[in-house]
């Protein structure tokens, strides 16, 4: 496994100034690529337990490097698998983009969490673990098809305990996450015939309940979704969960 700066970085430490015609933030930040695996054709659905634990360790290490920098407000860790999901390289890889701002999607969630009388994600874990949308669980993590799924076969992996980020994971949680994630990727590969997907790790420094979102890219985001931010999902999460459980 190797980590290095992205050759085609979206964010750089010393960006050239943006246009003077409009008010714009400079593209200040950091952009790294993690080469997930030594083999060019390796599929993450086949990663061993040891391999997946190492990948999670790399995510954790790079997160801990960036999260405390003065010029970083958010660290995005994600993986695009397959061309239709945005991967420009076929060799399995993940990316890290450190931003100087809190992105709008996360800001909206953080505002909602601080306005709620309890953690909405703890509530989701508690309620969904015994629902028709539950897929799998082990000692410290649960996988569900969220009732608010945006895309067909979307799944979320959440820790049972309220931790904000990967750095707060203990050994047990690290091991359990690797095992649930392997299981999730294998089931998705088998059920949907190795679909393209985006895997996203949502986490912040504190006051959050970290979670991992997996969006298979088997439908197109089109005019209606782009014009409204409202998603049409033809597969109910209950149906998706039943099929994934059976895979
Ligand atoms: Zn390669
Ligand atoms: Zn929570």
């Amino acid at each position: 496994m190797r980590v290095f700066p992205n050759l085609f970085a979206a964010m750089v430490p010393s960006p050239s100034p943006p246009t003077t015609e409009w008010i714009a933030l400079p593209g200040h930040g950091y952009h790294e690529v993690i080469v997930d695996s030594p083999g060019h054709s390796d599929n993450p659905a086949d990663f061993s337990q040891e391999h997946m634990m190492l990948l999670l360790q790399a995510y954790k290490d790079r997160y801990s490097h960036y999260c405390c920098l003065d010029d970083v407000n958010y660290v995005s860790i994600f993986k695009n698998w397959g061309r239709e999901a945005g991967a420009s390289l076929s060799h399995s890889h993940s990316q890290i983009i450190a931003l100087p701002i809190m992105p709008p999607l996360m800001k909206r969630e953080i505002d909602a969490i601080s306005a709620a009388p309890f953690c909405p994600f703890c509530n989701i874990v508690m309620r969904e673990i015994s629902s028709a949308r539950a897929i799998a669980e082990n000692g410290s993590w649960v996988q569900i098809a969220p009732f608010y799924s945006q895309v067909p076969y979307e799944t979320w992996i959440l820790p049972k305990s309220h931790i904000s980020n990967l750095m707060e994971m203990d050994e047990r949680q690290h091991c359990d996450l690797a095992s649930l994630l392997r299981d999730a990727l294998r089931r998705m590969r088998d059920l949907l015939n190795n679909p393209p997907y985006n895997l996203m790790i949502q986490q912040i420094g504190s006051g959050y309940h970290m979670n991992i979102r997996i969006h298979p890219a088997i439908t197109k985001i089109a005019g209606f979704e782009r014009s409204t931010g409202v998603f049409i999902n033809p597969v109910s999460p209950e149906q998706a969960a039943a099929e994934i459980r059976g895979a």
Side-chain angles (χ1 to χ4, degrees):
M1 197 160 307
R2 290 188 62 197
V3 183
F4 45 80
N6 195 314
L7 185 59
F8 305 101
M11 300 284 155
V12 291
S14 308
S16 32
T19 172
T20 51
E21 289 173 83
W22 297 90
I23 298 169
L25 280 175
H28 175 83
Y30 307 88
H31 190 167
E32 289 185 349
V33 178
I34 299 176
V35 180
D36 290 345
S37 191
H40 184 77
S41 312
D42 291 354
N43 187 315
D46 295 320
F47 286 179
S48 68
Q49 174 71 11
E50 192 188 5
H51 191 157
M52 194 60 89
M53 285 187 71
L54 188 63
L55 179 59
L56 292 173
Q57 186 64 46
Y59 289 168
K60 186 171 159 179
D61 288 349
R62 298 320 290 153
Y63 179 80
S64 70
H65 171 76
Y66 283 119
C67 72
C68 46
L69 298 185
D70 283 343
D71 55 348
V72 169
N73 254 304
Y74 184 72
V75 182
S76 169
I77 300 182
F78 60 96
K79 174 173 181 59
N80 299 332
W81 173 256
R83 195 161 288 278
E84 297 84 351
S88 48
L89 305 166
S90 58
H91 195 127
S92 182
H93 66 287
S94 306
Q95 299 181 64
I96 299 179
I97 298 185
L99 292 174
I101 56 156
M102 184 59 74
L105 185 147
M106 288 303 286
K107 175 137 193 347
R108 199 175 157 199
E109 286 187 17
I110 294 161
D111 289 348
I113 291 167
S114 44
F118 47 79
C119 169
F121 293 111
C122 282
N123 187 250
I124 287 169
V125 169
M126 201 173 60
R127 287 177 58 158
E128 295 299 282
I129 206 162
S130 55
S131 80
R133 294 169 293 273
I135 297 167
E137 68 169 301
N138 58 27
S140 35
W141 297 80
V142 49
Q143 186 194 17
I144 58 166
F147 63 86
Y148 42 81
S149 291
Q150 292 183 334
V151 299
Y153 304 97
E154 172 175 342
T155 66
W156 286 33
I157 295 173
L158 299 118
K160 289 180 176 175
S161 61
H162 184 87
I163 55 172
S164 294
N165 56 62
L166 290 171
M167 282 159 66
E168 293 177 7
M169 275 192 314
D170 61 23
E171 261 314 298
R172 176 84 240 161
Q173 288 168 320
H174 185 156
C175 184
D176 281 353
L177 176 56
S179 128
L180 200 68
L181 191 53
R182 289 174 65 216
D183 190 47
L185 296 179
R186 184 197 57 74
R187 285 170 195 263
M188 180 169 63
R189 193 254 323 261
D190 292 356
L191 178 68
L192 303 174
N193 193 23
N194 190 28
Y197 63 85
N198 304 112
L199 183 153
M200 302 155 282
I201 301 183
Q202 310 296 120
Q203 56 182 338
I204 59 175
S206 62
Y208 189 63
H209 192 128
M210 72 159 294
N211 56 86
I212 299 174
R213 307 175 187 181
I214 306 173
H215 284 204
I218 55 178
T219 48
K220 287 265 181 285
I221 303 302
F224 176 70
E225 286 82 1
R226 291 188 204 282
S227 78
T228 59
V230 175
F231 288 75
I232 298 174
N233 179 353
V235 180
S236 75
E238 294 78 15
Q239 172 70 26
E243 289 182 41
I244 297 168
R245 278 195 307 269

